[in-house]
């Protein structure tokens, strides 16, 4: 039987999704996790006979999403919290990376998340309660060369989260965009899609960036279990934030970006305001 809150988390096979599921189970919540194979399903449900449920779902299987969510509502119970965690990083220079790779990046990181949100909202709206967490990234606030499609997808999800939050707040539903810095998950390892190099003009600027990311994999500053606890703090809050950064690296880089943005706006202020009237 479901106790605590019911969390629906996409992508619980590893990383943040897995850590959040485990910490939520430890806190007495019920977790329904999405996975992409029968083996991952068995592995996840072995975490708790009574409180861990799994459903096979690729978030780009858009036509299946409404049915999966309705079945969970009917058979497990009311979804209190949706965590759109499933996602991956595309790494590649924009000019070298085919549009099909951008489409795939947005299908998973943006359209998949929005499809999940559209499926849970009718239930949350009817109950006048619910919390949606979208795992974005510090790359949804700042940008880095070589992950342009990824940053684009995370900026999109940040914007969608913030705007959606304003639409559903009057209906008792909260939306939090969670933006982690660098964490020790499978993100920069098995999950990353790396476009092969093809244009020599980018060798000098990009090759060191790619090498550094590969070398840093597994040694990142952030601990996903601590991220999970931070997310549970937001989930437990009566007034969850619209934006939550995770990690001192994210805080430093986003603050520097805001300062640089304000400086540039000020430098160009006379030109900016010259268009009024
Ligand atoms: P991860 O360990 O690679 O986990 C990614 C999860 O997403 C896996 O469970 C994976 O399932 C699932 N997934 C990927 N594509 C999917 C799809 N099409 N449909 C359903 N599930 C899918 O990496 P992670 O870092 O925990 O990633 C979770 C989220 O955090 C992502 O949105 C990522 O962009 C974000 N993030 C990560 C970092 C970081 O430093 N780690 C920083 C900022 C943001 P499979 O096992 O089946 O592949």
């Amino acid at each position: 039987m479901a106790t605590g809150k019911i969390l629906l988390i996409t992508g619980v096979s590893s990383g943040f999704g897995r850590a959040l599921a485990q910490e939520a189970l430890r806190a007495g919540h019920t977790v329904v996790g999405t996975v992409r194979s029968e083996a991952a399903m068995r592995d996840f449900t072995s975490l708790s006979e009574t409180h861990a449920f799994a459903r096979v779902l690729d978030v780009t299987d858009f036509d299946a999403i409404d049915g999966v969510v309705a079945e969970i509502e009917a058979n497990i119970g009311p979804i209190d919290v949706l965590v759109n965690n499933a996602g991956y990083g595309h790494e590649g220079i924009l000019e070298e990376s085919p549009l099909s790779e951008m489409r795939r990046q947005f299908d998973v990181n943006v359209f998949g998340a929005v499809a999940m949100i559209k499926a849970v909202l009718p239930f949350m709206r009817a109950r006048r309660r619910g919390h949606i967490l979208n795992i974005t990234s510090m790359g949804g606030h700042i940008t880095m060369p070589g992950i342009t499609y990824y940053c684009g997808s995370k900026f999109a999800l940040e914007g969608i989260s913030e705007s959606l939050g304003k639409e559903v707040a009057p209906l008792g539903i909260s939306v939090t965009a969670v933006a982690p810095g660098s964490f020790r998950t499978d993100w920069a390892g098995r999950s990353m899609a790396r476009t092969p190099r093809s244009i020599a003009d980018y060798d000098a600027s990009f090759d060191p960036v790619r090498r550094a990311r590969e070398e840093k994999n597994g040694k990142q500053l952030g601990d996903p279990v601590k991220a999970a606890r931070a997310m549970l703090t937001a989930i437990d809050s009566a007034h969850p934030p619209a934006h939550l950064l995770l990690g001192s690296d994210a805080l430093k880089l986003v603050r520097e970006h805001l300062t640089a943005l304000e400086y540039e706006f000020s430098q160009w202020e006379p030109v900016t305001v010259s268009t009024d009237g």
Side-chain angles (χ1 to χ4, degrees):
M1 202 197 65
T3 54
K5 288 181 175 168
I6 298 181
L7 278 68
L8 171 58
I9 307 174
T10 59
V12 293
S13 64
S14 64
F16 289 128
R18 181 55 160 245
L20 179 59
Q22 285 178 322
E23 289 305 301
L25 289 168
R26 217 187 302 279
H29 298 302
T30 295
V31 179
V32 190
T34 73
V35 290
R36 290 199 288 177
S37 71
E38 294 293 328
M41 190 166 171
R42 281 192 296 278
D43 178 52
F44 184 71
T45 49
S46 73
L47 291 176
S48 164
E49 253 178 51
T50 50
H51 287 68
F53 301 86
R55 296 292 182 267
V56 174
L57 179 71
D58 187 306
V59 296
T60 63
D61 189 359
F62 304 119
D63 292 341
I65 289 178
D66 284 352
V68 170
V69 166
E71 182 274 321
I72 293 166
E73 285 270 337
N75 294 327
I76 298 174
I79 297 162
D80 298 298
V81 182
L82 165 68
V83 184
N84 275 314
N85 165 74
Y88 73 97
H90 169 271
E91 188 200 69
I93 288 290
L94 181 144
E95 195 183 345
E96 294 179 338
S97 305
L99 270 185
S100 58
E101 292 184 357
M102 181 180 181
R103 286 209 178 89
R104 175 76 191 156
Q105 181 75 110
F106 275 66
D107 269 351
V108 177
N109 292 5
V110 183
F111 287 86
V114 172
M116 293 296 301
I117 291 168
K118 288 171 79 68
V120 300
L121 272 181
F123 297 101
M124 290 184 172
R125 198 163 34 77
R127 292 190 283 271
R128 291 294 193 265
R129 69 182 161 82
H131 190 181
I132 296 166
L133 283 84
N134 293 317
I135 312 301
T136 60
S137 170
M138 67 178 170
H141 292 273
I142 61 159
T143 58
M144 284 155 275
I147 51 169
T148 301
Y149 290 167
Y150 181 70
C151 288
S153 74
K154 295 300 189 178
F155 267 72
L157 193 54
E158 277 283 333
I160 288 166
S161 290
E162 189 180 282
S163 188
L164 171 69
K166 292 171 185 170
E167 291 177 1
V168 297
L171 306 172
I173 301 165
S174 308
V175 183
T176 302
V178 179
S182 294
F183 278 78
R184 296 185 295 278
T185 69
D186 291 349
W187 183 83
R190 72 165 177 107
S191 298
M192 181 157 270
R194 290 181 161 92
T195 302
R197 297 295 330 286
S198 58
I199 305 175
D201 277 346
Y202 294 105
D203 288 358
S205 60
F206 181 56
D207 283 351
V209 173
R210 172 161 281 179
R211 225 177 2 258
R213 184 170 289 113
E214 276 164 348
E215 282 165 7
K216 201 175 155 200
N217 182 31
K219 301 180 202 124
Q220 296 93 334
L221 178 67
D223 177 349
V225 174
K226 290 184 178 167
R229 291 182 192 144
M231 285 188 252
L232 283 177
T233 302
I235 287 168
D236 287 343
S237 169
H239 302 288
H243 300 278
L244 178 65
L245 297 171
L246 296 180
S248 59
D249 53 348
L251 186 62
K252 178 174 177 290
L253 290 166
V254 175
R255 276 194 172 144
E256 283 171 5
H257 172 69
L258 291 175
T259 303
L261 204 58
E262 175 53 31
Y263 179 75
E264 191 171 73
F265 286 164
S266 300
Q267 291 295 300
W268 285 83
E269 186 169 341
V271 178
T272 297
V273 299
S274 71
T275 59
D276 294 354

